Short mmCIF file of all heavy atoms in Angstrom, two decimals:
data_model
loop_
_atom_site.label_atom_id
_atom_site.label_comp_id
_atom_site.label_asym_id
_atom_site.label_seq_id
_atom_site.Cartn_x
_atom_site.Cartn_y
_atom_site.Cartn_z
N SER A 275 198.84 -29.37 -30.71
CA SER A 275 197.50 -30.00 -31.00
C SER A 275 197.63 -31.44 -30.59
O SER A 275 198.61 -31.91 -29.95
CB SER A 275 197.08 -29.88 -32.46
OG SER A 275 197.91 -30.71 -33.27
N THR A 310 209.70 -30.53 -39.22
CA THR A 310 209.94 -29.31 -40.10
C THR A 310 210.69 -28.24 -39.28
O THR A 310 210.17 -27.89 -38.16
CB THR A 310 208.62 -28.66 -40.69
OG1 THR A 310 207.89 -29.71 -41.32
CG2 THR A 310 208.90 -27.52 -41.59
N LEU A 316 215.43 -21.09 -36.04
CA LEU A 316 216.23 -22.29 -36.48
C LEU A 316 216.52 -23.23 -35.33
O LEU A 316 217.15 -24.22 -35.57
CB LEU A 316 217.46 -21.88 -37.17
CG LEU A 316 217.32 -20.98 -38.52
CD1 LEU A 316 218.63 -20.69 -39.13
CD2 LEU A 316 216.37 -21.72 -39.42
N THR A 564 150.27 -5.97 1.34
CA THR A 564 149.15 -5.20 2.04
C THR A 564 149.69 -3.86 2.53
O THR A 564 150.80 -3.74 2.89
CB THR A 564 148.60 -5.99 3.30
OG1 THR A 564 149.69 -6.29 4.18
CG2 THR A 564 147.97 -7.30 2.96
N ALA A 604 162.92 -20.29 -1.83
CA ALA A 604 164.04 -21.09 -1.31
C ALA A 604 165.35 -20.71 -2.02
O ALA A 604 165.37 -20.25 -3.10
CB ALA A 604 163.74 -22.55 -1.76
N ALA A 745 179.02 14.20 37.20
CA ALA A 745 180.17 14.68 37.82
C ALA A 745 180.89 13.68 38.78
O ALA A 745 182.11 13.75 39.02
CB ALA A 745 179.87 16.04 38.58
N ALA A 774 171.82 5.88 33.02
CA ALA A 774 171.67 5.46 34.41
C ALA A 774 172.55 4.27 34.69
O ALA A 774 172.70 3.32 33.82
CB ALA A 774 170.21 5.15 34.76
#
Side-chain angles (χ1 to χ4, degrees):
S275 70
T310 306
L316 299 181
T564 56

